Amino acid sequence: MVNVHCLNNIASVGLDLFSDDYNMESSYEDAQAVLVRSAKMHDMELSDDLLAIARAGAGVNNIPLDKCADKGIVVFNTPGANANAVKEHVLAALLLASRDILGGIKWVEDNKDDADIAKSAEKAKKAFAGKEIKGKKLGVIGLGAIGQLVANAAISLGMEVYGYDPYLSVNAAWNLSSEVKHIVNVEDIYKECDYITIHVPALDSTKGIMKKGTVIVNCARDVLVDEPAILDAIKSGKVAKYVTDFPNTTTAGQEGVIVLPHLGASTEEAEDNCAVMAVKELRNYIENGNIVNSVNYPNCDCGVCASAGRVTVCHKNVPAIISKLTSVMGDAGINIESMDNKSRGDYAYSVLDTGSAITEDVTAKLSAIDGVIKVRVVK
């Protein structure tokens, strides 16, 4: 039985995917697998029995990634599961920044007792007039799962879209509209675009050369934008509007800023998608030893084990560990039928499929190798 603990409410459509081999009533202290959304884990103890943490969402700044890696705890996230929800949120942000819809709504609320409100509105509405986004230039910085959806949707809305991503993947490129202008120098976006939506860190060196009257949308991360500098740019007229999905005391209530209460991924569909993906990642790791969508260990997918045994090893990315692993197997008379090893920065992961079962003695010898962090017999 595998103990699972949820630190936050996780959509039942995901939790229902766990089989009877999983105990969903486990405490955090006894858990081998943890599901989390927004709970902050940096000050929480990490049990030696904890194997994996799955974040039902993309951001993982609430999880101590290095501390987890040092203990052989694989951390997963769910990239793309909430992409459509955030895309729609970004589009709403563009429209809110272009037309003073919020100001108009506030006027109606303030004048609700006016018996002739319809006539008064005709006189007042010019104060809330804005611009159309059709024909305007949108710069999308970062063309990952969300950025590419935003870029494609903006093309459909008649915008001229400039996309910048020095690490654009082949899959992302295939999914991107051919009408998106691929920009190799981010400065061109800052100079040319009427609207900018940020999905990777902004570059300090380009902030001073933005086109006058630019609208900046940040539905990605609060730390991506130097907000005091943005407020100064609004006062000078350099920036027309700043829309952020991350409330804080710096921006809340400031002139020229629209602050939304972190609603980007807050849809039923996104929460369901994240829960389903997170549970599937955990089960694949627990049952097969496969790592897909980890943020602190390398991805390593060996499929379902067809041999007599499978053992996985979380270890430091240092020389000679592989030879030491195979030597232990050889000395024990265990044949390695297939093996995969992947590395990511200071850490690495190895999967060994064997022709016979792995004994406790072999597991102990593997664990004793200098640089090995955690050994787990999957089968």
Side-chain angles (χ1 to χ4, degrees):
M1 187 70 71
V2 177
N3 291 330
V4 179
H5 181 76
C6 298
L7 288 172
N8 300 104
N9 290 327
I10 303 296
S12 60
V13 68
L15 299 182
D16 289 345
L17 296 177
F18 281 118
S19 69
D20 293 339
D21 295 326
Y22 292 82
N23 169 31
M24 301 304 300
E25 304 301 323
S26 169
S27 67
Y28 171 75
E29 290 74 18
D30 295 331
Q32 292 151 297
V34 166
L35 284 158
V36 62
R37 290 177 59 200
S38 59
K40 299 186 184 304
M41 299 189 65
H42 288 278
D43 295 328
M44 299 178 71
E45 291 295 323
L46 298 173
S47 165
D48 291 338
D49 294 328
L50 185 56
L51 300 175
I53 298 169
R55 160 77 164 97
V60 290
N61 56 331
N62 57 324
I63 303 171
L65 301 183
D66 290 341
K67 186 178 176 182
C68 287
D70 283 337
K71 292 182 70 70
I73 300 168
V74 179
V75 180
F76 298 91
N77 69 344
T78 57
N82 59 15
N84 185 72
V86 179
K87 174 206 75 176
E88 292 183 2
H89 199 56
V90 171
L91 295 178
L94 291 174
L95 295 170
L96 289 174
S98 301
R99 308 177 72 167
D100 192 8
I101 297 170
L102 297 177
I105 293 172
K106 180 66 166 54
W107 181 91
V108 173
E109 292 174 347
D110 291 343
N111 292 272
K112 64 181 184 298
D113 296 326
D114 183 355
D116 204 11
I117 189 172
K119 185 175 181 180
S120 299
E122 291 302 315
K123 296 179 180 178
K125 67 181 184 182
K126 62 182 178 181
F128 313 114
K131 298 178 180 179
E132 298 179 13
I133 62 174
K134 182 179 180 180
K136 304 300 190 299
K137 296 179 180 178
L138 171 67
V140 181
I141 301 178
L143 296 168
I146 296 169
Q148 64 182 253
L149 290 181
V150 171
N152 291 346
I155 289 289
S156 299
L157 292 173
M159 300 188 80
E160 186 176 341
V161 180
Y162 294 72
Y164 172 79
D165 193 333
Y167 307 107
L168 182 65
S169 69
V170 174
N171 286 338
W174 274 109
N175 292 327
L176 202 60
S177 168
S178 61
E179 295 183 46
V180 175
K181 297 176 174 62
H182 185 215
I183 302 301
V184 297
N185 188 340
V186 72
E187 292 186 8
D188 292 335
I189 283 181
Y190 285 88
K191 290 177 181 177
E192 299 293 332
C193 291
D194 307 292
Y195 299 82
I196 297 172
T197 178
I198 301 169
H199 301 284
V200 293
L203 302 181
D204 290 336
S205 60
T206 61
K207 288 175 182 172
I209 59 171
M210 278 188 284
K211 180 179 179 180
K212 186 176 178 63
T214 301
V215 171
I216 298 175
V217 175
N218 177 20
C219 292
R221 289 286 175 274
D222 52 351
V223 297
L224 299 189
V225 174
D226 182 348
E227 292 184 330
I230 290 292
L231 295 180
D232 289 340
I234 290 172
K235 291 176 183 177
S236 71
K238 193 76 172 177
V239 171
K241 288 279 185 181
Y242 174 53
V243 187
T244 175
D245 201 29
F246 307 97
N248 58 49
T249 55
T250 301
T251 55
Q254 294 295 317
E255 187 73 25
V257 181
I258 298 173
V259 183
L260 304 169
H262 201 190
L263 296 176
S266 296
T267 67
E268 292 181 9
E269 295 86 350
E271 291 181 7
D272 286 353
N273 292 340
C274 289
V276 168
M277 185 181 290
V279 170
K280 287 182 176 179
E281 290 166 350
L282 280 180
R283 288 199 60 176
N284 195 11
Y285 180 65
I286 298 295
E287 297 169 24
N288 301 308
N290 296 323
I291 297 180
V292 179
N293 294 327
S294 173
V295 293
N296 66 343
Y297 271 92
N299 287 341
C300 187
D301 190 347
C302 296
V304 176
C305 181
S307 58
R310 173 174 288 183
V311 61
T312 66
V313 185
C314 295
H315 56 88
K316 292 294 184 69
N317 184 20
V318 293
I321 281 190
I322 302 302
S323 62
K324 293 176 182 178
L325 295 176
T326 57
S327 292
V328 169
M329 293 295 192
D331 291 344
I334 297 175
N335 183 47
I336 299 174
E337 295 186 347
S338 66
M339 180 178 178
D340 197 8
N341 169 261
K342 295 289 191 300
S343 62
R344 177 175 185 162
D346 294 332
Y347 302 95
Y349 186 71
S350 296
V351 179
L352 294 82
D353 285 348
T354 60
S356 55
I358 310 296
T359 64
E360 291 185 5
D361 180 60
V362 169
T363 302
K365 289 180 179 178
L366 292 173
S367 300
I369 295 172
D370 187 31
V372 166
I373 299 170
K374 183 173 287 185
V375 176
R376 183 166 70 95
V377 176
V378 177
K379 179 182 177 182

